[in-house]
Amino acid sequence: MCWCGSNIASTVDLDRVQKAVEKLTNVVHVEQNKYTCSEPGQAQIVAGIREHNLDRVVVAACSPRMHEKTFQRTVAKAGLNPYLLEIANIREHCSWVHTSVEEATPKAIDLLRAAVAKVIRNTPLTTSTIPVEKRALVIGGGIAGIQAALDIADAGHQVVLVEKEPTIGGRMAQLDKTFPTLDCSACILTPKMVDAAQHPKIRLLTYAEIEEVGGYIGNFEVTIRKKARSVNEDVCTGCGICWSKCPSKAPNEFDCGLGERKAIYIPFPQAVPNKPVIDRENCRYFTKGKCGVCKKVCPAGAVDFEQEDELLRERFGAIVVATGYELFDHSVYGEYGYGKYPDVITGLEFERLINASGPTGGKLKRPSDGKIPKTVVFVKCVGSRDEAKGFPYCSRTCCMYTAKQAILLREKMPEAEAYVFYMDVRTPGKGYEEFYTRATEEFGVNYLRGRVARIYPKGDQLVVRGEDTLVGAQVEIEADLVVLATAMVARRDAAELAQRIGFSYDQYHFFTEAHPKLRPVETNTAGVFLAGACQGPKDIPDTVAQASAAAVKVAMLFSRDELETNPMVATVDEGTCSGCEWCKPTCPYGAIDIKTIEERVGKRTVSRRVATVNTGLCQGCGACTVACRSGAMNLKGFTNEQILAEVEAICL
Amino acid sequence: MKEKLSELKETVARLLKDRTVDFFIAYQAGHSQVEPIPFFLTTAEHVENLFLNNFCAHNLSKYLLDYLAGDEVVGVLAKGCDLRALKRLLTDHRVERGRVFVVGLPCIGIYDRKKVQEVYPAGLVEVVEEGEEVILRGETGDKRVPRKEYLLPRCLTCPDHNPEFYDLLLGEKVANGPLAEEDYSDVRALEEWAPGERRRYWTRQFERCLRCYACRNVCPACNCRVCCFDVAEPRWLGKGTSLDEQEMFHFTRAMHVAGRCTGCGECERVCPVNIPLMKLNKKLAKDIGALFHVPQAEIPTEVEPLGQFRLGDPDEFN
Amino acid sequence: MSVERAGTGVSTAGWEPKIIGFCCNWCSYAGADLAGTSRIPYPCNIRIIRVPCSGRVNPQFVLRAFQRGADGVLVAGCHPGDCHYSTGNYFTRRRFLLVKRLLEYLGIEPRRFQVRWISGSEGQKFADVVAEITEQVKALGPAKMDKMRDVM
């Protein structure tokens, strides 16, 4: 029992407590000291353990959140398992909040009695260590994944970067210029793509997907499906003869279908790796069995029609998920006529139309008849901030990219008019407000506050009818081209991926960070980190910042050779467990599995299902224990027996 | 009923003969007409002893737990309520669907033995249903009474006159739909009482408890391999029958079936001292329905109401 | 602040309620620690049992406390959304919404059993909650669950 100078001793009559505690069953030795956490105080505990051959220790002192670790080390010094110690918090919970000795002393006795009742039910717990496989898996080869992979690799660790498309680059590669600086997107991105490809510590796996994830922090086992490219990457030189001679054409996904590509293709000229892939659905050889032109013309003999999907099993210590986003399917806004009127396009399609390497060579021609538009209307918040038809959240990037697109339009074609329908203009970023001001003042973009009610054709134009709420009047604009700023949404397979890896996602299927403020790049599954728009709508600067943050978390993890496991984990009494599985849904870590055990019943061997806890995943919250009616699931360090004993001891 | 019984005999004989099932669980005659008892058949020769009338209340699917260890296929006769109980066992992964052969029994209501015995202490020969009325035919004469008043409580609000699924159905399906809406009127009435009155009410109920565990043993939701009431350590419950232990028992039992009770009312039916256990179960079902928007709290679902949550659940704990 | 020393001393009747508090390690136990380091006084009737998460609190623990003579029970955890284990307290909330109603249905005065969200920074709130529950339970008198017939 610690005096803590006078912090405890002045309010708690420790002599009276000592008399009471000495009478408790199992208590063989009680002593007081002035500062138990001090060097001599700790030495006294060690001596006490040795002298009295103690196998359990209670320290009545300050909060266990303060010195539990200190005293665990102390008892360990005396050769005792550190988990055979309990702390009675008689300072923060007693002497500091009660002023009279008559109040504090009986309470201190109760707290000690509870600690004694608990400690005699403590069992030795051992921390095991698990080795850390110092290799990281980055899923998604957009700017987030590239940045995370580069940072981890620069920290000296092996990285496998998995991208499901034939090239890395992601959404950023599709953009023309970036706000608020108007750098060319490709100019700043492609060098990073090349860096990633050439980095000795990074292995790119493009045209590949995650098939299965098992294991836990430090030791994930991942199966990656490398889809058949039909081109031997090792011998292909990327000379391009194959795609120049290929007779089959298909819409180019990279250009949002606005242009065409061949059946054997690279998505865009700066693709990394610069190795083509055969789109078997559109290839004549695969659909009609006749052709093989690419194979004939390939000087390296790289085309391989027989290639099959390959399953790779790899071990990783950490996973960074950077799978990005998709655009909202705004066909639900029938009144905006997307799909019906070819000149109603999305912001991303606008990026491709205005890009020098896009389908129109950078000349903004409208899709319907190739005419140069004179009047362009931009509509913001299509699917964002609209609970009725889309999502209640703000997509964060649209205000800025709409301003950027209007500026690009006015810069390229000063004679064209730009109108923007908006709900609010949100510019919370460095240089963003200034950029928006330039759009309105320097470039004369017309901003109209209000929602667009309808878009309908008139001659070869589109009439955009909406309300200007600032003037309080209906406005109709006859436009040649309408650009919709569609919401950023989670990828359609996001939930499936989260389930496969085992972490949580929100109602919109964006991945959930472990804490909204303080742990923004971790997931609730240890060893799995998030980067970029897969966690929520984000622009490029925020994405890159989060990617680097995730990389640091991985590097921190890899700075250790071994991880100590938390010994206070859930444990299953297999004899009692019914295998009902009701514990499973309460586990936030997916740490509970079902296994089949065999046992003898009479003369037969029968098999039976029981729950099992993955101690690498379990964080020791104990939610499962309450879901378990039979008490088969228990939590080490906070067992049912211990807590019931504490309750009974206090109530005595 | 007679046609159904002969069809049942035929069916069970066939299933046992062609080895579709290794056992069959149905009913046989008990001490009297109103007390049929479970019957476990292993051979077709015993089918003559099968019995069926509108007092066959027992939920037979609970007995499936006794056959967990082997690999036999067990046939079981199941009414709508029994099937819901079986669904509970399946959802709790206690029974494998592939090892159960369900012979479904359409049912429009089972009579409450205790109520019938009040008007007909002995010598009941049969009951004849006539629309809204029922004729209790005894050795000493007939008595015509309103049907609803003599049914088991669960039968009044039963939504499943036909079992939800089965491998084989006995006879034709009957018209579905409950005779009365579940309005939790018993629970609501008790909620209106003053707290002290309620306390005294439950004290009177619990002090009668013999701790025979019949309520637990018959309950399809109480299907743990080892029950927490039977373990010595941790001591969830003392062995004594002091009032506090009784209350601990009833509280724990109710919480353990919260969100999992199928509403069959077997616990209450088998209680030898008539403790109104369904008033506890229904209270929880009612609150679960209202608080967590579970429209049918007594139908087993993939994840039980207490094994899930919604961010928008009511919060009164600030 | 509502906590006064008055009324927390030995009462004339000689009876002082005993209240058990189950506090989650990460928020409410830390909140209680903060009340201590900030020297915010509160009634001495509460005894805290540390649990990793409010989701660890089995309703049977609560009933056992009453059974053994506790006059009030407090379960305290992180605010919804702030759970250290991300979802534990959502289960706590569901479970104890039911328990509270069931106890009331059994005739146990609902103020004897309370669930509160108290964060690690809410030392004052912790003290206020303890003062409030102590006052309420004191007004109700002993729970005496083991002597059920005599209650109320």
Side-chain angles (χ1 to χ4, degrees):
Chain A
M1 300 192 303
C2 180
W3 292 13
C4 196
S6 62
N7 278 306
I8 293 171
S10 67
T11 325
V12 177
D13 180 348
L14 286 171
D15 291 334
R16 213 158 97 204
V17 177
Q18 176 153 359
K19 280 202 191 85
V21 173
E22 274 168 347
K23 286 186 204 139
L24 297 176
T25 328
N26 297 91
V27 174
V28 294
H29 174 69
V30 185
E31 64 183 34
Q32 303 177 26
N33 39 47
K34 207 164 179 185
Y35 291 104
T36 314
C37 60
S38 69
E39 208 45 49
Q42 291 190 54
Q44 209 175 318
I45 293 178
V46 174
I49 292 170
R50 291 198 173 132
E51 189 184 331
H52 300 277
N53 199 20
L54 305 176
D55 59 11
R56 300 285 191 283
V57 175
V58 171
V59 176
C62 54
S63 172
R65 295 171 51 86
M66 190 86 181
H67 274 313
E68 190 175 45
K69 285 266 171 296
T70 313
F71 294 125
Q72 281 181 341
R73 280 195 294 269
T74 312
V75 300
K77 258 185 249 169
L80 219 55
N81 180 288
Y83 294 91
L84 297 176
L85 166 95
E86 283 296 327
I87 307 279
N89 183 346
I90 59 167
R91 191 179 76 174
E92 282 84 345
H93 290 189
C94 191
S95 72
W96 275 355
V97 285
H98 309 309
T99 40
S100 97
V101 176
E102 284 318 305
E103 288 180 350
T105 306
K107 178 167 175 177
I109 294 171
D110 281 359
L111 293 177
L112 264 137
R113 204 166 48 226
V116 169
K118 185 180 184 192
V119 82
I120 57 180
R121 287 165 178 84
N122 281 21
T123 49
L125 301 180
T126 43
T127 329
S128 55
T129 53
I130 44 175
V132 178
E133 179 79 34
K134 296 187 185 185
R135 298 177 76 230
L137 168 67
V138 177
I139 306 170
I143 181 60
I146 292 172
Q147 184 68 43
L150 282 171
D151 288 350
I152 297 167
D154 283 345
H157 306 293
Q158 294 287 342
V159 181
V160 173
L161 177 56
V162 173
E163 166 59 51
K164 82 171 167 191
E165 298 297 328
T167 174
I168 57 169
R171 292 280 177 221
M172 187 176 169
Q174 291 178 282
L175 307 181
D176 182 49
K177 302 259 166 47
T178 54
F179 59 80
T181 48
L182 295 182
D183 313 80
C184 146
S185 188
C187 309
I188 54 176
L189 174 68
T190 45
K192 274 192 183 284
M193 289 163 61
V194 174
D195 284 353
Q198 293 179 345
H199 202 294
K201 299 262 183 196
I202 299 178
R203 181 165 150 226
L204 284 189
L205 287 176
T206 54
Y207 211 47
E209 290 184 51
I210 303 303
E211 189 83 0
E212 208 181 315
V213 178
Y216 43 87
I217 183 169
N219 300 273
F220 292 104
E221 289 201 1
V222 182
T223 309
I224 302 165
R225 175 179 293 272
K226 207 169 175 316
K227 293 178 281 187
R229 209 175 181 106
S230 314
V231 170
N232 184 338
E233 282 176 273
D234 297 333
V235 296
C236 171
T237 60
C239 68
I241 293 175
C242 55
W243 67 79
S244 69
K245 300 286 184 204
C246 172
S248 316
K249 285 180 177 173
N252 188 352
E253 298 83 357
F254 184 77
D255 285 333
C256 306
L258 294 167
E260 286 183 325
R261 58 159 173 82
K262 299 295 183 61
I264 184 165
Y265 71 105
I266 57 169
F268 58 102
Q270 303 93 336
V272 171
N274 182 26
K275 319 267 163 147
V277 54
I278 295 181
D279 161 14
R280 293 186 174 183
E281 278 173 26
N282 287 299
C283 167
R284 274 189 204 175
Y285 178 84
F286 283 99
T287 53
K288 302 211 172 77
K290 271 191 224 157
C291 183
V293 169
C294 49
K295 193 173 169 115
K296 281 173 213 145
V297 299
C298 178
V303 175
D304 177 5
F305 295 130
E306 312 303 318
Q307 207 178 58
E308 284 179 10
D309 286 8
E310 209 183 325
L311 290 180
L312 310 172
R313 282 186 72 80
E314 303 267 343
R315 281 173 65 81
F316 298 101
I319 300 175
V320 176
V321 183
T323 48
Y325 65 97
E326 277 180 22
L327 290 177
F328 177 67
D329 171 15
H330 56 276
S331 56
V332 300
Y333 289 84
E335 65 273 30
Y336 291 177
Y338 181 75
K340 204 157 48 170
Y341 314 132
D343 295 331
V344 176
I345 62 171
T346 66
L348 195 61
E349 288 169 331
F350 183 90
E351 298 284 339
R352 296 314 302 150
L353 286 178
I354 205 159
N355 187 275
S357 61
T360 55
K363 277 218 168 65
L364 184 63
K365 296 178 186 168
R366 55 184 218 173
S368 62
D369 52 11
K371 271 212 288 200
I372 309 284
K374 294 257 162 22
T375 307
V376 179
V377 173
F378 296 89
V379 183
K380 296 207 296 192
C381 293
V382 179
S384 315
R385 304 176 66 199
D386 183 355
E387 219 153 338
K389 288 191 167 174
F391 296 96
Y393 60 78
C394 164
S395 284
R396 289 186 64 194
T397 58
C398 322
C399 283
M400 292 306 295
Y401 79 64
T402 300
K404 175 198 75 180
Q405 290 174 345
I407 288 176
L408 292 178
L409 174 78
R410 296 276 298 159
E411 201 176 46
K412 266 198 167 155
M413 299 150 36
E415 69 289 353
E417 289 280 354
Y419 294 90
V420 178
F421 279 93
Y422 71 102
M423 283 166 69
D424 292 291
V425 177
R426 296 179 170 178
T427 58
K430 199 167 168 179
Y432 287 10
E433 178 66 18
E434 298 90 317
F435 186 77
Y436 160 62
T437 310
R438 274 177 71 201
T440 54
E441 291 177 5
E442 192 179 320
F443 288 92
V445 177
N446 303 297
Y447 272 72
L448 301 163
R449 190 172 202 272
R451 277 228 187 246
V452 169
R454 225 181 123 212
I455 298 170
Y456 59 93
K458 186 180 175 192
D460 70 344
Q461 283 192 308
L462 294 162
V463 179
V464 181
R465 184 193 289 167
E467 198 187 8
D468 184 340
T469 54
L470 295 183
V471 183
Q474 283 281 328
V475 281
E476 281 188 359
I477 296 166
E478 293 183 1
D480 301 304
L481 185 68
V482 179
V483 184
L484 306 180
T486 44
M488 286 168 92
V489 299
R491 298 198 77 98
R492 64 200 68 196
D493 55 359
E496 201 186 320
L497 181 72
Q499 287 162 6
R500 200 167 292 173
I501 302 175
F503 58 87
S504 47
Y505 49 90
D506 66 20
Q507 67 263 51
Y508 313 117
H509 293 194
F510 285 120
F511 300 148
T512 312
E513 62 281 7
H515 190 281
K517 293 129 211 162
L518 302 179
R519 298 176 70 200
V521 302
E522 293 99 323
T523 64
N524 56 356
T525 299
V528 180
F529 306 98
L530 299 175
C534 60
Q535 179 252 353
K538 251 176 226 73
D539 59 17
I540 296 167
D542 285 1
T543 295
V544 172
Q546 199 188 11
S548 288
V552 169
K553 292 284 173 186
V554 172
M556 272 165 59
L557 177 62
F558 289 176
S559 68
R560 286 178 288 183
D561 297 326
E562 291 184 321
L563 285 175
E564 281 206 339
T565 58
N566 169 19
M568 294 190 172
V569 290
T571 170
V572 180
D573 175 356
E574 292 181 355
T576 306
C577 178
S578 305
C580 74
E581 299 191 22
W582 287 130
C583 48
K584 268 180 87 172
T586 64
C587 180
Y589 308 105
I592 302 171
D593 273 319
I594 298 295
K595 68 172 180 184
T596 303
I597 55 167
E598 298 213 320
E599 61 185 12
R600 299 285 294 173
V601 174
K603 285 176 194 155
R604 297 196 282 196
T605 301
V606 296
S607 56
R608 183 160 72 78
R609 292 150 40 88
V610 294
T612 171
V613 176
N614 183 327
T615 54
L617 290 174
C618 177
Q619 302 289 309
C621 71
C624 53
T625 61
V626 187
C628 182
R629 299 176 302 281
S630 65
M633 188 66 88
N634 217 338
L635 180 64
K636 289 182 189 171
F638 292 95
T639 61
N640 292 324
E641 292 82 350
Q642 287 174 309
I643 297 173
L644 285 171
E646 283 179 279
V647 170
E648 303 211 341
I650 288 172
C651 290
L652 267 183
Chain B
M1 202 52 82
K2 277 191 188 114
E3 303 83 68
K4 272 193 190 155
L5 179 59
S6 52
E7 193 185 340
L8 177 68
K9 286 177 181 173
E10 239 166 72
T11 306
V12 175
R14 182 164 46 80
L15 293 173
L16 285 167
K17 268 186 206 151
D18 67 12
R19 307 294 293 161
T20 307
V21 301
D22 298 286
F23 296 115
F24 200 91
I25 314 176
Y27 301 97
Q28 62 183 323
H31 304 297
S32 72
Q33 282 287 315
V34 298
E35 292 168 287
I37 56 173
F39 186 28
F40 303 82
L41 295 87
T42 50
T43 143
E45 286 142 36
H46 295 156
V47 296
E48 277 317 309
N49 293 335
L50 282 166
F51 183 80
L52 206 56
N53 72 359
N54 3 30
F55 289 92
C56 291
H58 291 81
N59 159 30
L60 301 171
S61 55
K62 178 86 196 256
Y63 294 106
L64 292 168
L65 289 181
D66 298 338
Y67 299 97
L68 283 177
D71 45 19
E72 300 89 352
V73 174
V74 184
V76 68
L77 184 65
K79 306 181 290 293
C81 49
D82 305 338
L83 203 279
R84 213 153 62 221
L86 175 60
K87 207 170 164 190
R88 169 86 277 145
L89 297 172
L90 293 168
T91 313
D92 291 353
H93 302 99
R94 299 292 286 133
V95 169
E96 273 174 63
R97 179 67 182 93
R99 287 191 43 207
V100 191
F101 189 94
V102 180
V103 174
L105 178 64
C107 167
I108 54 165
I110 296 290
Y111 293 96
D112 187 331
R113 168 175 73 89
K114 291 173 191 168
K115 284 183 193 161
V116 171
Q117 277 175 329
E118 273 171 28
V119 290
Y120 239 104
L124 187 83
V125 177
E126 63 173 341
V127 292
V128 180
E129 280 155 340
E130 277 193 3
E132 295 293 299
E133 291 190 324
V134 64
I135 304 163
L136 306 172
R137 186 157 292 159
E139 289 161 1
T140 52
D142 291 1
K143 195 158 221 165
R144 187 179 279 268
V145 292
R147 215 167 83 78
K148 270 189 183 180
E149 288 172 25
Y150 287 84
L151 288 174
L152 283 172
R154 71 167 182 246
C155 301
L156 292 172
T157 54
C158 172
D160 300 322
H161 290 184
N162 301 297
E164 190 192 323
F165 57 83
Y166 43 79
D167 298 300
L168 207 150
L169 191 71
L170 221 50
E172 296 291 311
K173 279 193 177 183
V174 294
N176 233 340
L179 297 170
E181 280 304 312
E182 175 61 84
D183 57 2
Y184 300 108
S185 49
D186 283 4
V187 173
R188 283 179 210 282
L190 200 48
E191 283 173 345
E192 294 300 313
W193 291 17
E197 282 301 312
R198 244 188 345 254
R199 189 102 193 105
R200 274 188 284 279
Y201 172 78
W202 285 114
T203 304
R204 282 199 305 276
Q205 309 307 318
F206 295 156
E207 69 187 358
R208 289 203 302 276
C209 180
L210 309 171
R211 209 83 78 64
C212 66
Y213 295 142
C215 50
R216 174 196 70 180
N217 296 351
V218 79
C219 173
C222 281
N223 56 40
C224 288
R225 193 179 142 76
V226 177
C227 176
C228 68
F229 299 133
D230 294 336
V231 296
E233 181 74 2
R235 197 168 52 124
W236 294 109
L237 185 70
K239 293 287 170 209
T241 50
S242 60
L243 258 175
D244 64 303
E245 299 287 14
Q246 307 289 46
E247 178 155 49
M248 183 78 180
F249 167 70
H250 286 282
F251 170 87
T252 308
R253 192 206 58 79
M255 281 308 293
H256 281 193
V257 302
R260 307 175 59 261
C261 168
T262 63
C264 71
E266 283 289 276
C267 49
E268 197 169 282
R269 188 181 67 82
V270 301
C271 178
V273 292
N274 298 320
I275 296 174
L277 291 144
M278 284 308 282
K279 280 196 179 135
L280 293 172
N281 297 343
K282 289 281 181 193
K283 162 71 177 166
L284 285 159
K286 169 181 160 286
D287 286 350
I288 286 170
L291 288 166
F292 311 135
H293 309 290
V294 183
Q296 291 169 302
E298 291 170 344
I299 309 280
T301 47
E302 203 159 315
V303 182
E304 59 171 322
L306 288 182
Q308 56 178 303
F309 62 84
R310 285 186 201 190
L311 298 180
D313 279 340
D315 200 329
E316 55 193 38
F317 298 146
N318 277 312
Chain C
M1 197 192 79
S2 61
V3 183
E4 299 291 336
R5 301 306 301 157
T8 58
V10 181
S11 79
T12 45
W15 173 74
E16 277 292 325
K18 192 163 261 187
I19 296 162
I20 296 206
F22 293 95
C23 291
C24 88
N25 181 52
W26 306 96
C27 287
S28 308
Y29 195 94
D33 276 359
L34 182 62
T37 45
S38 317
R39 312 292 201 280
I40 305 168
Y42 55 80
C44 66
N45 308 68
I46 190 152
R47 309 282 183 268
I48 294 170
I49 292 176
R50 184 164 69 130
V51 287
C53 175
S54 60
R56 173 67 186 97
V57 183
N58 193 319
Q60 285 152 262
F61 298 158
V62 174
L63 214 77
R64 172 59 53 87
F66 282 122
Q67 198 190 354
R68 292 290 187 266
D71 302 295
V73 174
L74 169 70
V75 173
C78 309
H79 288 267
D82 290 346
C83 177
H84 180 78
Y85 305 101
S86 58
T87 54
N89 53 2
Y90 289 121
F91 292 105
T92 310
R93 185 166 68 180
R94 274 216 163 182
R95 198 173 290 137
F96 286 114
L97 279 167
L98 286 182
V99 167
K100 204 168 164 61
R101 283 162 177 71
L102 181 61
L103 290 177
E104 187 174 358
Y105 189 66
L106 291 173
I108 294 169
E109 174 49 61
R111 279 166 295 182
R112 290 195 189 278
F113 172 63
Q114 304 202 12
V115 182
R116 294 301 184 87
W117 311 129
I118 301 170
S119 81
S121 62
E122 293 176 323
Q124 184 65 58
K125 182 174 179 184
F126 181 84
D128 291 347
V129 164
V130 173
E132 187 189 315
I133 185 170
T134 307
E135 205 175 306
Q136 289 174 352
V137 170
K138 212 173 257 188
L140 292 168
K144 289 195 205 156
M145 177 167 295
D146 46 338
K147 305 174 186 74
M148 275 179 26
R149 256 166 294 209
D150 309 333
V151 176
M152 283 165 251

